[in-house]
Amino acid sequence: MRHTIAVLVENRPGVLVHIAGLIARRAFNIESITAGYTEEADVTRITIVVEGDNRNLEQVVNQLSKLVDVIKIVELTAEPSIERELALIKVKARPETRSDIVDIVEIFRAKIVDVNRETMVIELTGEETKIDALCEVLADHGIVEMVRTGKVALSRKPGAAKDSE
């Protein structure tokens, strides 16, 4: 089972390396990891997706909670949350296929963010399955390259993660 956890940490150099290293030493596979600023300048939010059973998740959370820079850990898989990913996809776009690609982009509510004689770059934000579906459709046109941010997630509860129990 995939688990999404939000880890609030002190915004200091090397914290991300400590967290990724700890998880790697325990032989847990990190499906995705993202880090970014929060509403507080001295706090960074790291969203980690790991694969494993509940026992593995408990071990990860217990180990992470021992790190000095960790402020709070919230398992978002266990509660209602909003999850999103961003993808940039460069696809081959010959003159005879450009209108088909534009139609696909509109259906998925994506954006064309760059165009040249041979390719288009498409931006899509959404759930992982939506991005997977767009990639599957665009594969027929030839995906040249792609980058995905990894998941970011936020609880739907009214309070902030730092205040949760």
Side-chain angles (χ1 to χ4, degrees):
M1 180 177 177
R2 296 173 88 186
H3 301 276
T4 302
I5 54 176
V7 184
L8 299 175
V9 298
E10 299 287 337
N11 187 3
R12 295 187 187 143
V15 173
L16 183 60
V17 171
H18 287 147
I19 288 175
L22 184 146
I23 293 171
R25 282 192 301 276
R26 302 286 180 226
F28 298 123
N29 186 33
I30 298 174
E31 298 278 327
S32 74
I33 186 167
T34 59
Y37 296 107
T38 65
E39 67 281 2
E40 297 179 30
D42 58 341
V43 176
T44 297
R45 183 183 182 110
I46 301 172
T47 305
I48 305 169
V49 178
V50 293
E51 179 76 34
D53 58 24
N54 288 339
R55 185 172 171 269
N56 291 344
L57 175 68
E58 187 178 321
Q59 288 178 337
V60 168
V61 170
N62 286 339
Q63 294 299 317
L64 289 176
S65 64
K66 293 177 183 175
L67 295 176
V68 174
D69 296 319
V70 172
I71 300 167
K72 187 81 176 184
I73 302 168
V74 178
E75 208 249 306
L76 293 169
T77 310
E79 60 186 66
S81 61
I82 301 164
E83 301 178 344
R84 294 290 185 269
E85 214 178 290
L86 169 74
L88 294 174
I89 307 161
K90 186 185 298 179
V91 62
K92 291 179 185 172
R94 297 184 312 271
E96 62 271 15
T97 63
R98 285 182 186 266
S99 64
D100 292 342
I101 295 170
V102 170
D103 290 343
I104 293 167
V105 167
E106 287 178 13
I107 289 168
F108 280 87
R109 298 182 187 163
K111 295 180 196 170
I112 296 171
V113 293
D114 190 49
V115 176
N116 66 39
R117 289 178 176 220
E118 301 168 14
T119 63
M120 291 179 164
V121 176
I122 298 163
E123 173 189 316
L124 178 61
T125 303
E127 294 184 4
E128 183 180 2
T129 54
K130 181 179 179 181
I131 294 172
D132 290 344
L134 176 61
C135 291
E136 188 175 321
V137 173
L138 289 176
D140 295 340
H141 295 279
I143 294 175
V144 176
E145 73 178 323
M146 173 177 65
V147 61
R148 293 170 75 150
T149 60
K151 189 184 292 186
V152 292
L154 203 59
S155 170
R156 295 186 72 125
K157 291 181 176 178
K162 66 182 180 191
D163 301 327
S164 67
E165 294 180 21

